[in-house]
Amino acid sequence: MSWRRHFAKFGGLLRRPKLADDLKAEIRSHLEMEERENLDAGMAPEEAQYAALRRFGNVTSAQERSREMWLWNPVETFLQDVRYGLRQLRRNPGFTVVAVLTLALGIGATSSIFSVVYGVLLRSLPYANPQQLVSVSEVAADGHLMGFTSPNFRDLHAMNHTLSGMALCKAMPATVVGPSGPSRLVVAVVSADFFHVMGVTPVLGRGFSADELREGGTPATLVSYGYWQSELHGSADLSPFKLKVEKYVFSVAGVLPPGFDYPAHAEIWIPAELFGEGASRTAHNWSAAVGRLRRGATVAQARADFSMLAHRLYQQYKPEIDMTNASVTPLRAALTAKVRPALLILLGAVGFLLLVACANVANLLLARAAARRRELAVRFALGAGRGRLVRQFLTESLLLSLAGGLLGILLALLGMGTLLALAPPGLPRLDDVSVNLPVLAFTLGISILVAASLGTMTALRATSAGPRAALAESNRGAAGSFASRRMARALIATQVAVTLVLLTGAGLLARSLLEVLSVNPGFRISNIVSMQLEVPESASSSASPVARSASSARPAEFMETLFGRLRALPGVEEAGGVSDLPLDEGGPCSDGKFLLLDREPQLNDADLDRLWSTAPGGEADYCVASTGYFKALAIPLIRGRLFSESDSASSRNVAVISESLARSTWPHQDPLGHTLEFGNMDGDMRLLTVVGVVGDVHALSLEKPPDPTVYVDYRQRLHGGRDFTVVIRASTPPGPLISDAGRIVGNLAPGAAPRFETFRDVFSASLDTRRFNLTLVSVFAASALLLAAVGLFGVMAYWVSQRTNEIGIRMALGAQKSDVLRMVVAEGIKLALIGLAIGIACALGLTRFLVSLLYDVKPTDPITYAAVSAVLLGVAVVACYVPARRATKVDPMEALRCE
């Protein structure tokens, strides 16, 4: 059929009322003309009218044939089916409401999780040609990824053939003193080509100049669009603004476009070249390196190129280099690598919930189709084909699914705020999560797929019998619908099986969380306040004379004064400090390689590199701490002593080490009195003498073993301009102490911007990701359990209603109520047991995908399987008991009378 004819038919559809009126008028004109001719031929009026009708033929048939010429017949049929379907749904409001709400729950939950998956994993990065952006990392001998060292980056940048540009970056919290005073912000240090690689140019001002991209050059910074609006008041003239970061005062060169957020949450970008470059090939000071593929190059080609170059560098510089390979990954994949498995598992879990919801609605549709057997039989007898009836069922399913989809979108919109509030703060690209057009398209697709599945299954089951069989079955009532009952039972067994899989997943995650919470972190949590601040190098001129005299000498003396004033506060039991707080989102202490030496090295840089590659040593975290830190967090002293007042800046440098480091470095020996050199962490080459051993601390995560740690005395190794975290232990809940501690810091260092947290909040935040996964899977599992219980209840209630006569006859023949109760409950339990068997088999295969989310719990944990099976079986018994009780109240006489 040509497009003109289609267009004409579509035009006919739009002009349908006028065409219908014209057709009726034309037919009436023909009949009147014929009738006049018959009257002129001498016929009586009534005979003339009948003769005209006989000659013209069936008027309705003529109208139908004419309408087929005007319209697309499938469109007309579909509209008829829609009108009929709406009438049917309106006649059964209870069925309609339950079906729509059930589908809305499944579709809404699926849409919500997909919106997170799309925003985090699938949505393109908001940069120019984002598919060309890659993340590059060094690879160690054991395969783990490392940040770049400056020399390795320079060589790979110059030698590679697949990247058009490459840049380094790292982000760190810092105190930024701006027009509104000091504040704690994320500051990004980036190399020269960073903004060129990212394809970003300032929307106001300019980028860095050549003079600003050299060591000792003019300090300049770029700021985020949000910072420009909030702190610089959206001023078009940036020249008056100066920002102080550490000891540098930066002029504001430009403003980056809105939405630019790399590294994550950065507000200030400063050039790395200002601070000079390191020469060590083992100092991995850069957290990330980004590159842009050349036109025509692929990620696989870049990966092969960098791998070859890394091997070449390793052969050239070993043993002074620890990079054995290089990794190249699409930037989007690198940003989301840690959360991808969990999000995909959540998407699979919510898909199971949708499957349970569909099975529930399918059972409702089957029961409703059984109630419409007589209608279908009559339509069969009147000539309706099976295809016509199938289209009717598909249309009704489509109406239900679209209604459920629309309500599901509303639920997703209402629940998005709650979902984002539950999401862990570390979830990348959280600002990109929304119910947008791709999510709406996904929801529409899910709704159509659900409609097609439900409609096809119900229609094929309802129309499987021929006209004669349909009439016979409709007269027998439910006795002949064995196939429908088998399908309903199969759906219930499927619901139970899928629900068991979800409950098992939730149970395994819950057990993992309990196992994590049972881990001894190695420190105290309750009644602890942490205060992160930047240690000032000298007192502010606006401070009081007492404050200036206390803090102008050295940073250590400032901290000593601060500790003393904090201990004097009412309710404070102890105060101390550490460079990196355990479990804090900023990460653990810096780690590096130490050497076991018995004298201080007096060597040049080349000799030092050889020494680092040949001398015995090990790797450990490096933390600057005070004695009060160990006492405040109740970290136990196992051997030796802690730092004391005699450990001054001029005395020998001392170290306290963790128990795991003592065990691995000096097995079967007393580590006290041994010396080590850890100068690559802070440039101080003086030896450290081990004076004490303390208990291990889970610094990075409760789920990972404690890292070996070297603690140095803040009086000997603390530098101004560095972050330091003060910990305060109180005898009561520490909330009121925050304002007093903030006032003390303000008096001592007006330029500081301390950030306060209770340590219980820090501890809780470290479990946010695990809690988020558990909460969502548990909600899905509980919803599936409710739907499965409702489905089992509905099937058993329908089974009882259809077998009322049989039950009455049994009771008339002597069956007791207890026998009927056992019969009905046994029928439901049989279905539940079949579902449990299938579900256990499926769970054993599927829970292996949860391995990355489990802690100290096996995917085949028998306790979890037993508990989940018991819960599900108990719910099944309850769901079957109510219909069973109803069955025991059947009146035998009424049943026999009906029979």
Side-chain angles (χ1 to χ4, degrees):
M1 186 181 292
S2 68
W3 69 270
R4 289 188 178 88
R5 189 173 179 186
H6 278 300
F7 185 77
K9 287 178 174 285
F10 184 69
L13 179 63
L14 296 179
R15 294 181 285 113
R16 177 181 174 183
K18 184 176 185 306
L19 289 173
D21 292 340
D22 291 345
L23 176 60
K24 290 179 181 179
E26 186 174 354
I27 292 176
R28 190 165 50 250
S29 175
H30 278 287
L31 290 174
E32 290 174 354
M33 186 182 302
E34 186 68 26
E35 187 176 348
R36 282 197 300 271
E37 290 180 358
N38 292 339
L39 289 173
D40 293 341
M43 292 184 183
E46 187 175 352
E47 183 181 358
Q49 183 180 5
Y50 283 122
L53 286 172
R54 284 195 301 273
R55 185 171 181 180
F56 185 83
N58 191 312
V59 174
T60 302
S61 178
Q63 289 176 335
E64 290 292 338
R65 288 194 301 271
S66 298
R67 275 196 289 267
E68 289 180 4
M69 298 299 295
W70 305 335
L71 306 172
W72 279 329
N73 196 44
V75 174
E76 175 72 7
T77 304
F78 175 72
L79 293 177
Q80 291 175 357
D81 289 342
V82 168
R83 289 192 296 270
Y84 184 78
L86 289 173
R87 288 198 300 270
Q88 288 291 325
L89 297 179
R90 192 164 55 246
R91 287 176 187 168
N92 300 273
F95 160 80
T96 303
V97 169
V98 172
V100 169
L101 288 178
T102 302
L103 289 176
L105 174 63
I107 294 175
T110 306
S111 300
S112 297
I113 297 301
F114 179 77
S115 67
V116 177
V117 171
Y118 177 79
V120 175
L121 300 182
L122 303 179
R123 194 170 190 174
S124 295
L125 297 174
Y127 312 128
N129 299 315
Q131 72 282 357
Q132 296 178 346
L133 290 173
V134 294
S135 173
V136 189
S137 302
E138 294 187 19
V139 179
D142 61 1
H144 79 271
L145 301 183
M146 304 182 293
F148 263 100
T149 68
S150 295
N152 292 344
F153 171 80
R154 287 195 302 268
D155 290 340
L156 290 176
H157 183 224
M159 297 163 59
N160 84 87
H161 302 91
T162 50
L163 299 186
S164 62
M166 189 174 171
L168 290 170
C169 63
K170 63 179 177 181
M172 56 187 181
T175 299
V176 178
V177 182
S180 301
S183 56
R184 296 288 295 178
L185 301 174
V186 176
V187 175
V189 182
V190 298
S191 62
D193 291 338
F194 177 77
F195 295 107
H196 171 71
V197 169
M198 299 301 295
V200 174
T201 56
V203 294
L204 180 67
R206 57 174 177 81
F208 295 127
S209 66
D211 180 62
E212 296 159 351
L213 292 173
R214 62 179 181 83
E215 184 175 357
T218 304
T221 181
L222 299 180
V223 300
S224 70
Y225 193 86
Y227 185 84
W228 171 65
Q229 287 189 317
S230 61
E231 297 296 324
L232 307 186
H233 314 297
S235 174
D237 183 9
L238 302 176
S239 58
F241 298 106
K242 304 293 180 182
L243 306 180
K244 185 177 185 297
V245 183
E246 295 185 354
K247 63 181 180 180
Y248 296 92
V249 177
F250 293 85
S251 60
V252 179
V255 178
L256 294 173
F260 182 74
D261 187 37
Y262 189 81
H265 312 303
E267 300 281 359
I268 308 294
W269 287 261
I270 58 181
E273 289 74 13
L274 180 67
F275 311 105
E277 296 183 349
S280 172
R281 292 187 181 271
T282 59
H284 303 274
N285 297 321
W286 297 96
S287 58
V290 292
R292 182 173 289 275
L293 294 171
R294 293 183 186 274
R295 182 170 299 184
T298 65
V299 174
Q301 291 171 341
R303 191 174 293 128
D305 183 25
F306 273 79
S307 180
M308 181 268 295
L309 294 175
H311 282 104
R312 183 187 301 174
L313 290 176
Y314 179 72
Q315 294 299 325
Q316 179 178 354
Y317 291 105
K318 68 178 184 180
E320 301 168 13
I321 185 173
D322 55 4
M323 176 184 68
T324 61
N325 203 342
S327 169
V328 179
T329 310
L331 182 58
R332 184 177 65 182
L335 292 175
T336 59
K338 293 183 179 179
V339 300
R340 179 182 296 272
L343 289 182
L344 293 180
I345 287 172
L346 289 177
L347 186 61
V350 79
F352 278 173
L353 174 60
L354 179 61
L355 181 60
V356 173
C358 290
N360 229 20
V361 175
N363 260 328
L364 292 174
L365 289 172
L366 284 176
R368 186 164 170 270
R372 295 172 63 184
R373 282 190 302 272
R374 179 171 294 275
E375 172 201 336
L376 297 177
V378 172
R379 294 181 71 178
F380 261 135
L382 293 178
R386 190 180 185 188
R388 182 69 179 82
L389 297 179
V390 168
R391 288 198 301 272
Q392 178 62 53
F393 277 102
L394 285 172
T395 303
E396 293 179 18
S397 297
L398 181 62
L399 292 174
L400 283 175
S401 299
L402 290 179
L406 289 174
L407 184 57
I409 286 293
L410 180 60
L411 293 177
L413 289 170
L414 294 176
M416 188 58 63
T418 302
L419 182 62
L420 294 180
L422 287 173
L427 190 67
R429 309 189 66 193
L430 205 58
D431 293 339
D432 291 335
V433 175
S434 64
V435 180
N436 47 30
L437 284 178
V439 175
L440 295 177
F442 171 82
T443 305
L444 177 62
I446 285 290
S447 301
I448 294 175
L449 181 62
V450 167
S453 303
L454 294 177
T456 301
M457 183 194 67
T458 309
L460 294 179
R461 178 61 257 154
T463 61
S464 59
R468 183 175 299 178
L471 284 171
E473 191 171 286
S474 67
N475 290 328
R476 290 198 306 270
S481 57
F482 298 116
S484 295
R485 289 208 299 271
R486 282 198 301 270
M487 182 171 287
R489 289 167 178 158
L491 289 171
I492 284 297
T494 301
Q495 282 184 280
V496 172
V498 173
T499 301
L500 184 133
V501 173
L502 284 176
L503 285 173
T504 302
L508 292 173
L509 291 176
R511 287 212 63 198
S512 294
L513 180 59
L514 291 177
E515 292 293 334
V516 171
L517 290 174
S518 68
V519 172
N520 178 13
F523 48 81
R524 176 174 173 167
I525 297 171
S526 59
N527 295 345
I528 302 289
V529 167
S530 69
M531 176 177 64
Q532 188 182 66
L533 74 160
E534 185 177 292
V535 180
E537 295 183 305
S538 60
S540 170
S541 60
S542 61
S544 65
V546 175
R548 285 200 301 272
S549 64
S551 61
S552 60
R554 283 185 308 194
E557 295 180 6
F558 166 80
M559 295 306 307
E560 185 66 29
T561 302
L562 177 60
F563 293 153
R565 295 195 181 187
L566 291 174
R567 293 190 188 102
L569 291 174
V572 173
E573 296 180 340
E574 187 56 80
V578 67
S579 56
D580 297 272
L581 191 67
L583 300 183
D584 188 56
E585 62 181 5
C589 302
S590 301
D591 63 334
K593 184 177 180 180
F594 62 86
L595 300 179
L596 299 177
L597 301 177
D598 56 7
R599 60 186 179 86
E600 294 177 3
Q602 303 292 330
L603 306 169
N604 56 36
D605 290 344
D607 292 333
L608 281 174
D609 286 339
R610 281 193 294 273
L611 181 64
W612 278 105
S613 62
T614 58
E619 292 188 0
D621 288 348
Y622 177 87
C623 280
V624 181
S626 73
T627 297
Y629 163 73
F630 300 105
K631 293 181 178 179
L633 295 191
I635 299 173
L637 176 65
I638 296 175
R639 187 178 302 167
R641 66 173 178 86
L642 298 175
F643 306 125
S644 67
E645 293 184 359
S646 62
D647 300 320
S648 64
S650 58
S651 65
R652 66 169 183 167
N653 279 211
V654 297
V656 172
I657 63 173
S658 65
E659 185 179 14
S660 59
L661 179 60
R663 190 168 49 246
S664 61
T665 306
W666 294 282
H668 313 298
Q669 298 182 54
D670 185 355
L672 301 183
H674 285 270
T675 55
L676 56 91
E677 196 274 318
F678 219 155
N680 70 331
M681 300 306 300
D682 58 4
D684 194 331
M685 306 302 294
R686 289 176 293 177
L687 292 183
L688 296 167
T689 302
V690 178
V691 297
V693 179
V694 295
D696 286 325
V697 169
H698 289 264
L700 181 61
S701 169
L702 293 176
E703 304 170 30
K704 296 183 178 180
D707 291 326
T709 306
V710 173
Y711 299 95
V712 297
D713 194 344
Y714 79 102
R715 299 184 187 90
Q716 298 176 335
R717 299 280 181 125
L718 183 65
H719 298 281
R722 303 289 179 85
D723 281 346
F724 203 65
T725 301
V726 176
V727 290
I728 309 167
R729 189 181 75 200
S731 57
T732 58
L737 290 175
I738 293 177
S739 59
D740 293 335
R743 186 168 55 255
I744 290 174
V745 173
N747 290 334
L748 290 175
R755 180 174 67 92
F756 290 93
E757 278 186 294
T758 66
F759 205 50
R760 187 166 294 281
D761 289 340
V762 174
F763 180 83
S764 178
S766 70
L767 300 174
D768 278 348
T769 299
R770 184 169 291 280
R771 193 180 296 112
F772 175 68
N773 297 334
L774 172 61
T775 300
L776 290 185
V777 174
S778 298
V779 169
F780 300 154
S783 301
L785 181 62
L786 176 62
L787 290 177
V790 171
L792 185 57
F793 170 83
V795 166
M796 296 311 300
Y798 182 73
W799 183 82
V800 168
S801 68
Q802 295 300 308
R803 299 184 66 178
T804 300
N805 292 352
E806 175 194 338
I807 294 172
I809 293 172
R810 286 175 179 267
M811 296 181 71
L813 294 176
Q816 300 299 313
K817 290 185 176 181
S818 59
D819 298 327
V820 174
L821 187 68
R822 281 196 299 271
M823 179 184 71
V824 178
V825 172
E827 178 73 14
I829 295 302
K830 181 172 69 175
L831 293 177
L833 289 176
I834 294 173
L836 286 177
I838 298 172
I840 290 174
C842 294
L844 289 172
L846 292 174
T847 50
R848 61 189 178 89
F849 294 108
L850 288 175
V851 170
S852 62
L853 304 183
L854 301 182
Y855 175 77
D856 208 21
V857 176
K858 294 182 179 180
T860 57
D861 179 53
I863 297 176
T864 301
Y865 280 81
V868 165
S869 299
V871 169
L872 196 50
L873 196 59
V875 170
V877 170
V878 173
C880 296
Y881 182 76
V882 176
R885 287 282 297 172
R886 186 180 301 168
T888 61
K889 298 179 181 179
V890 172
D891 187 348
M893 296 304 297
E894 289 293 330
L896 289 174
R897 187 177 296 114
C898 293
E899 191 66 22

